[in-house]
Amino acid sequence: MNNKINLHTKIFETRNIYADLFIPTIRRPNFSNNTQELFLSTICYNQKSDSTSTSDTIAKTKQVLEKLERQKISFLIIDGKLEFKPSQTLIQSVKKHLSNLPQNLNTLNLDFNQLVVEINNSEQLQISNINIFVNSFINTLSKYQLSESKINKNAIVNLAVKLIYWYKTYKIANLNLNLNTLDSSHQLPKIFHFGDLSLHEEYFLMFLSSLGFDALAFNFKSPLPQKNVSTSDLNRRQKNVTSTHKTNINSSNGINSSNNNSSHIRNSSANNENNVNSNSTILSAIKKKKLDSGYIVKSKKFDGSLDELLEPLKNRAGYAGLPSPILPIYFVRYIGSDSNKKQYNNKLYHFDEKLKSNSRYIKFTSTLPVSSHPELNKKTSQLWSSFNFLDNTNLSDFVESLAGINFFDFIKDSQLQNQSYISLKNILELIVNKEQKCPISKVKNILLKSTGWLIDHYNTLLSSYSLEKEYPPVILYYGDIKKHEAYYLVFLFNLGVDIVYINSFSDEIFENIDPDNDFSSICVLDKVSALEPFPETESLLQHETVAYQASEEIAQVVYNDQDGVYKPWQFESYKTMPLTLKTTYDEVLLLWNEEARIRAGFKVEKETVYIPNLFTKISGTPDDLNSYWDLISLLNKAPQVKLYSKLPFSNISFDTAKLSSIDLAFEGHSSLSFDKLKSHSMYPFEHFSDALQKQIFDKINLLIHENILLNKDSKYLSLKIVYTIFNMDQELLHLIQTFDYPANVPKLLIYDPDEITFSESDAIIMSFLYLFGFDICVFTPTGYNNFEKFIDQNYYNVFKLPRKQFNLELPNLNRFSSSKSNKGFWNNLFKFK
């Protein structure tokens, strides 16, 4: 990963930790990536309450860990108290570099950088990106300093030692973060802590989250089985943590990477045999009925269009009718939403309207009510005392016993009735495969609920279904679903009912029931969005005409990022980065009037426009003053230029109270928040386009974090930057608003004739406009230093002319350059005499 890149992490406020943990990196809220800035949403989850440590929570957590293994997602388990035995060398190194802690830790960036570089080498931390590590380190210690009362500098140094020691001890660098390749399947590595957390251990998880890891803490012991190993085994296995995907660590004996619970399974099997034998007398008294093989329900592949479900059975590949039906049936999980939410809502609305023409269609948009069917309890009363649990050894006996008591007698069609037992057996196999030994109470709950729902929906769905060349019944379930309801849908699918499960946010339940998509097809749309009520009306949308569509298709070929032919405002939503040209003195005039796209180095890449711009100071004057005035006059006649001949040009004074209010736009006094900035009472850009507002925010943020301004140690600099940009001249704002990036480059022209020089706010505005891609040229006939005391010399070029002139007032420029061409370099190049 590029060491220059800035990583910004924001805590993902999860609705469901078990589902959201598997959302790919680029589909999480607030994700953004370009060549300089990477914004990630990470999960930092701490379950503190003992009341939530139920067996269900533990089981879900175990399923999550098993799924991570199955999908080969890198993760680490730390079980119990974190080890802490630092060397004196580490402690002394940290104390040396952090001996003089200031009030604001962010001003110690250089000290932290030197510390991390030194420790990285001496302690072999294997940190690949020092910049990200340092920023995360500072942010974590700053949060500790701000949040915890009555802490001194020694406490901060102590936490710093622990963060570094734990990072090394648990070999965090070995986890496969890989932020260079952010494809659609990229997952952030996960770090789990099981057991009680100390305060410093909580901050360690925060630190890992800010580095780009999902960090989770649970107050119970690891749900995976433990296995003791030696310390040498710990070192050997941790080297392979990326390839093995999982490492369990406990405080006493190090690593456990085994998930072998075969002995547990053998014990369970023995118990099963004992339980079956103990109830054999009761079981033998229940009449059992052998089942026919049933008809075949095949999972139909879903190609992405909901209209596929409108096809009758006879048009579906693989269909066969009576007497031995083969039914290609859809089970679709339609997850996420389109980028255009109105278009997505309309798609659901029209699909629902089309399905209403099918008399065997039911839509569920909320939890299914549990209806009372006491006859089911009465019919099965003897059965429940015959089984203590279900597993693979007695599952068939259980289903045949249900058939023996004619449990599904409300279904009149014998073929469909037989299939109901087959379908029930399929559901029970799913449950048993998850739990090996399923308590009979759980089986009873699922069976009675599912059968009660089937009775409620039977007349609509199945009473007239003959399995012959017709439209199958359809269930559309929209929104969050409970596990029992999901099993009911699987039950209906095995009877030959098309199932469409739609959820714009989560797919947790079916990811657990059908992780390998054995019977269902999953369609993941462009983005994750919060659930809204199912659309009952159509939204207004603009309709694209054929001519418009043809125009857009041509535009995609002609107006692309690379070919140099651009339509107006094609890149309005793109980011910009300056690419400062190092030129000769004569080239300043030649390039000044050329459009950005003509200049060497212009490119569009990864939704970023790289603008070759000029940042030049001309110090002194030539012997011939007329040529000097000619040059200034020509530069001033360029399009989109603003000339200042009196300094300071911004006239901004910093009010302490207003500066303090700007701090409200920062999170933790250090990280500027776009949402908080926009809601600030002084915010002046609300009438700008959304893209331009985001561009302004990005440039302010870049100016805060880049080293272009020299007085970085000022604790008010970040506040001054925001306050200054809020109060810029309207003329400069107009230049920003009219800047179409490949076209004419806006320009700032400044004439400084005397000792009155630039203010700090002038330098902030110059730097901000420079980052936007503006051309800047400063004339200083005196040869004095002016903006040099504010702006790093690596960002501009200085041309020194032979003469120095004092109190040289700027004349009327209209009297000069009348004989000079102002058409630009390329026009002059092909001018014929």
Side-chain angles (χ1 to χ4, degrees):
M1 184 175 176
N2 182 1
N3 271 318
K4 300 275 186 181
I5 199 166
N6 288 316
L7 175 66
H8 306 275
T9 60
K10 187 172 184 179
I11 300 301
F12 183 6
E13 295 182 1
T14 171
R15 283 198 336 166
N16 187 322
I17 184 65
Y18 303 105
D20 296 345
L21 196 61
F22 292 92
I23 296 178
T25 308
I26 67 172
R27 294 184 66 232
R28 293 187 176 188
N30 306 303
F31 173 80
S32 177
N33 185 19
N34 62 36
T35 55
Q36 295 294 324
E37 305 282 337
L38 176 59
F39 292 82
L40 297 179
S41 289
T42 59
I43 292 174
C44 192
Y45 176 80
N46 186 3
Q47 179 189 324
K48 294 182 178 180
S49 172
D50 289 336
S51 63
T52 59
S53 300
T54 62
S55 58
D56 185 53
T57 304
I58 296 172
K60 284 182 179 179
T61 307
K62 182 179 179 182
Q63 289 167 1
V64 164
L65 296 173
E66 291 171 346
K67 181 176 178 180
L68 289 169
E69 271 193 319
R70 221 171 29 247
Q71 296 188 0
K72 295 182 169 55
I73 297 172
S74 212
F75 71 97
L76 175 77
I77 292 178
I78 304 173
D79 204 3
K81 186 173 178 60
L82 274 68
E83 174 190 337
F84 185 58
K85 298 177 181 177
S87 66
Q88 283 301 313
T89 305
L90 173 60
I91 294 172
Q92 293 306 320
S93 295
V94 174
K95 283 185 175 180
K96 178 182 71 175
H97 288 284
L98 305 184
S99 57
N100 296 310
L101 288 171
Q103 189 67 27
N104 184 351
L105 294 181
N106 290 293
T107 61
L108 259 185
N109 189 293
L110 181 60
D111 300 75
F112 279 113
N113 196 74
Q114 292 171 346
L115 167 63
V116 172
V117 170
E118 179 181 304
I119 297 295
N120 193 33
N121 295 329
S122 64
E123 300 285 328
Q124 298 181 333
L125 298 184
Q126 301 178 6
I127 300 170
S128 59
N129 192 305
I130 298 292
N131 182 45
I132 290 176
F133 190 94
V134 169
N135 288 338
S136 300
F137 199 49
I138 293 172
N139 287 340
T140 305
L141 294 180
S142 296
K143 286 178 182 176
Y144 180 60
Q145 183 186 44
L146 290 169
S147 301
E148 309 301 330
S149 60
K150 298 181 181 178
I151 62 170
N152 54 31
K153 294 181 180 181
N154 287 337
I156 295 173
V157 170
N158 187 21
L159 177 58
V161 172
K162 286 183 177 179
L163 295 182
I164 294 171
Y165 177 81
W166 288 332
Y167 184 90
K168 175 190 176 183
T169 300
Y170 297 106
K171 298 191 182 296
I172 303 302
N174 287 356
L175 285 166
N176 186 19
L177 186 57
N178 193 15
L179 296 179
N180 286 317
T181 308
L182 293 170
D183 57 23
S184 59
S185 63
H186 183 275
Q187 289 278 358
L188 298 178
K190 327 295 179 190
I191 295 159
F192 294 85
H193 180 276
F194 292 100
D196 293 331
L197 273 180
S198 69
L199 179 65
H200 283 181
E201 288 168 346
E202 284 188 33
Y203 279 98
F204 179 57
L205 292 189
M206 292 181 200
F207 173 56
L208 296 177
S209 174
S210 67
L211 285 174
F213 299 96
D214 287 337
L216 302 92
F218 295 89
N219 60 350
F220 45 81
K221 287 186 175 295
S222 170
L224 293 184
Q226 302 292 310
K227 177 183 175 184
N228 294 339
V229 296
S230 65
T231 303
S232 60
D233 202 19
L234 167 63
N235 295 328
R236 174 177 61 79
R237 294 189 187 180
Q238 280 193 322
K239 292 178 181 177
N240 299 318
V241 68
T242 299
S243 60
T244 59
H245 313 296
K246 169 177 72 75
T247 303
N248 293 356
I249 300 178
N250 62 35
S251 58
S252 60
N253 52 39
I255 186 168
N256 301 284
S257 64
S258 171
N259 193 24
N260 183 355
N261 55 358
S262 57
S263 62
H264 172 72
I265 295 173
R266 284 195 297 273
N267 292 338
S268 296
S269 299
N271 290 337
N272 289 351
E273 293 170 6
N274 292 336
N275 282 323
V276 172
N277 292 335
S278 66
N279 293 292
S280 57
T281 304
I282 300 175
L283 185 58
S284 62
I286 299 176
K287 179 183 178 182
K288 290 188 288 186
K289 178 182 178 182
K290 292 291 183 182
L291 302 173
D292 294 335
S293 58
Y295 52 83
I296 298 173
V297 174
K298 291 174 55 179
S299 180
K300 182 81 172 72
K301 181 183 177 184
F302 179 67
D303 292 324
S305 171
L306 291 173
D307 284 349
E308 294 172 40
L309 282 92
L310 304 176
E311 289 182 328
L313 285 171
K314 65 180 180 180
N315 292 347
R316 300 182 184 183
Y319 167 76
L322 297 172
S324 301
I326 300 175
L327 307 183
I329 298 298
Y330 286 101
F331 195 122
V332 177
R333 292 146 57 192
Y334 201 69
I335 309 301
S337 72
D338 298 333
S339 297
N340 185 327
K341 195 63 186 288
K342 283 188 175 181
Q343 184 173 302
Y344 169 78
N345 288 339
N346 280 357
K347 185 191 302 182
L348 300 189
Y349 170 77
H350 287 298
F351 179 58
D352 178 42
E353 289 297 306
K354 292 172 184 175
L355 287 176
K356 287 177 181 177
S357 63
N358 184 344
S359 60
R360 290 186 288 273
Y361 165 56
I362 299 177
K363 176 176 66 178
F364 301 131
T365 59
S366 61
T367 299
L368 304 186
V370 180
S371 53
S372 176
H373 292 281
E375 71 276 12
L376 298 179
N377 245 326
K378 183 177 180 181
K379 191 183 297 185
T380 57
S381 59
Q382 186 179 359
L383 199 63
W384 306 125
S385 59
S386 303
F387 294 86
N388 293 329
F389 55 80
L390 282 193
D391 66 2
N392 286 320
T393 66
N394 62 2
L395 193 152
S396 294
D397 285 339
F398 178 79
V399 175
E400 289 177 4
S401 297
L402 283 173
I405 62 174
N406 204 13
F407 183 66
F408 290 120
D409 60 355
F410 60 89
I411 299 175
K412 304 307 178 187
D413 182 272
S414 60
Q415 193 174 31
L416 190 59
Q417 187 182 107
N418 180 80
Q419 188 71 17
S420 298
Y421 296 108
I422 302 295
S423 180
L424 175 63
K425 185 177 179 182
N426 289 338
I427 293 177
L428 296 178
E429 283 175 348
L430 286 175
I431 298 169
V432 166
N433 287 338
K434 289 285 182 187
E435 301 186 26
Q436 276 97 44
K437 185 175 69 172
C438 183
I440 201 66
S441 58
K442 183 172 184 178
V443 175
K444 178 181 180 181
N445 194 9
I446 292 174
L447 176 65
L448 296 185
K449 278 185 179 179
S450 296
T451 308
W453 287 327
L454 182 61
I455 292 172
D456 294 340
H457 305 138
Y458 173 74
N459 285 337
T460 301
L461 288 177
L462 298 167
S463 61
S464 63
Y465 187 23
S466 67
L467 315 177
E468 184 72 44
K469 296 183 181 179
E470 55 188 20
Y471 293 95
V474 184
I475 291 286
L476 188 156
Y477 194 110
Y478 177 83
D480 292 333
I481 191 170
K482 295 182 178 179
K483 185 170 284 189
H484 290 180
E485 296 170 332
Y487 282 129
Y488 175 55
L489 296 189
V490 179
F491 179 60
L492 293 177
F493 164 76
N494 283 289
L495 293 179
V497 178
D498 280 339
I499 305 295
V500 191
Y501 174 63
I502 300 176
N503 193 316
S504 63
F505 188 81
S506 172
D507 186 35
E508 176 202 3
I509 296 296
F510 285 111
E511 282 183 340
N512 178 263
I513 291 176
D514 189 21
D516 299 319
N517 303 330
D518 291 329
F519 57 82
S520 62
S521 296
I522 183 169
C523 178
V524 180
L525 303 181
D526 294 339
K527 70 175 192 175
V528 174
S529 64
L531 272 173
E532 298 176 357
F534 191 89
E536 299 298 338
T537 58
E538 186 173 10
S539 300
L540 293 175
L541 282 176
Q542 290 181 316
H543 182 72
E544 298 176 354
T545 65
V546 174
Y548 174 81
Q549 292 173 354
S551 174
E552 286 298 295
E553 290 174 5
I554 294 171
Q556 289 176 12
V557 176
V558 176
Y559 303 119
N560 57 60
D561 289 1
Q562 305 301 327
D563 290 344
V565 180
Y566 309 118
K567 62 182 179 181
W569 304 106
Q570 180 173 335
F571 305 117
E572 182 180 15
S573 62
Y574 282 34
K575 295 185 177 181
T576 64
M577 287 299 293
L579 196 66
T580 308
L581 297 171
K582 197 167 184 67
T583 70
T584 65
Y585 174 70
D586 291 332
E587 284 180 305
V588 173
L589 177 59
L590 294 175
L591 293 170
W592 187 257
N593 287 330
E594 300 307 337
E595 293 183 347
R597 74 186 94 195
I598 301 298
R599 299 178 179 182
F602 177 85
K603 64 178 179 179
V604 182
E605 191 172 273
K606 295 181 180 179
E607 297 193 350
T608 301
V609 184
Y610 292 86
I611 301 170
N613 66 338
L614 301 167
F615 192 171
T616 300
K617 175 177 178 176
I618 298 176
S619 180
T621 72
D623 292 327
D624 180 8
L625 276 179
N626 283 332
S627 67
Y628 186 66
W629 303 131
D630 279 340
L631 175 62
I632 297 174
S633 178
L634 283 169
L635 298 184
N636 187 46
K637 288 182 178 178
Q640 292 184 280
V641 64
K642 173 61 179 174
L643 170 65
Y644 290 107
S645 58
K646 184 179 179 181
L647 296 177
F649 65 80
S650 57
N651 296 316
I652 295 174
S653 58
F654 296 116
D655 180 275
T656 304
K658 290 182 178 178
L659 281 179
S660 298
S661 77
I662 295 291
D663 191 48
L664 297 173
F666 288 80
E667 292 181 349
H669 308 288
S670 59
S671 179
L672 188 63
S673 163
F674 186 37
D675 292 335
K676 290 183 178 180
L677 191 73
K678 288 196 300 181
S679 62
H680 196 281
S681 60
M682 293 169 57
Y683 185 72
F685 308 125
E686 60 275 354
H687 57 291
F688 289 1
S689 69
D690 291 343
L692 185 54
Q693 290 186 64
K694 186 64 170 61
Q695 184 82 276
I696 289 172
F697 167 77
D698 287 342
K699 296 312 174 194
I700 293 174
N701 212 22
L702 191 58
L703 187 55
I704 289 171
H705 291 99
E706 278 291 325
N707 294 321
I708 182 170
L709 291 169
L710 293 176
N711 54 341
K712 279 294 197 180
D713 290 339
S714 168
K715 66 177 181 179
Y716 293 115
L717 181 60
S718 297
L719 308 179
K720 288 179 178 179
I721 288 172
V722 176
Y723 184 79
T724 300
I725 303 310
F726 276 5
N727 290 279
M728 272 201 307
D729 284 355
Q730 281 297 319
E731 290 180 78
L732 294 178
L733 292 176
H734 290 159
L735 289 178
I736 291 173
Q737 293 174 79
T738 56
F739 186 11
D740 188 0
Y741 306 134
N744 288 316
V745 179
K747 306 168 197 312
L748 187 61
L749 194 59
I750 302 172
Y751 183 73
D752 178 16
D754 49 36
E755 294 86 352
I756 301 174
T757 186
F758 291 81
S759 65
E760 187 176 19
S761 58
D762 289 346
I764 290 171
I765 290 173
M766 290 170 65
S767 303
F768 175 78
L769 296 178
Y770 158 76
L771 291 174
F772 239 102
F774 275 50
D775 287 334
I776 301 173
C777 187
V778 178
F779 285 88
T780 311
T782 60
Y784 292 157
N785 281 352
N786 38 35
F787 63 81
E788 285 92 337
K789 68 178 180 179
F790 295 112
I791 299 176
D792 189 288
Q793 63 182 1
N794 293 312
Y795 292 89
Y796 55 86
N797 300 316
V798 178
F799 298 107
K800 294 188 176 181
L801 302 185
R803 299 275 306 275
K804 293 185 178 181
Q805 304 276 358
F806 303 98
N807 299 314
L808 187 65
E809 293 299 322
L810 190 68
N812 183 352
L813 295 177
N814 292 327
R815 297 191 292 114
F816 297 91
S817 70
S818 58
S819 62
K820 305 283 185 181
S821 170
N822 194 29
K823 295 181 180 179
F825 171 65
W826 294 105
N827 302 88
N828 291 327
L829 181 64
F830 297 109
K831 181 175 67 177
F832 294 92
K833 293 185 179 180

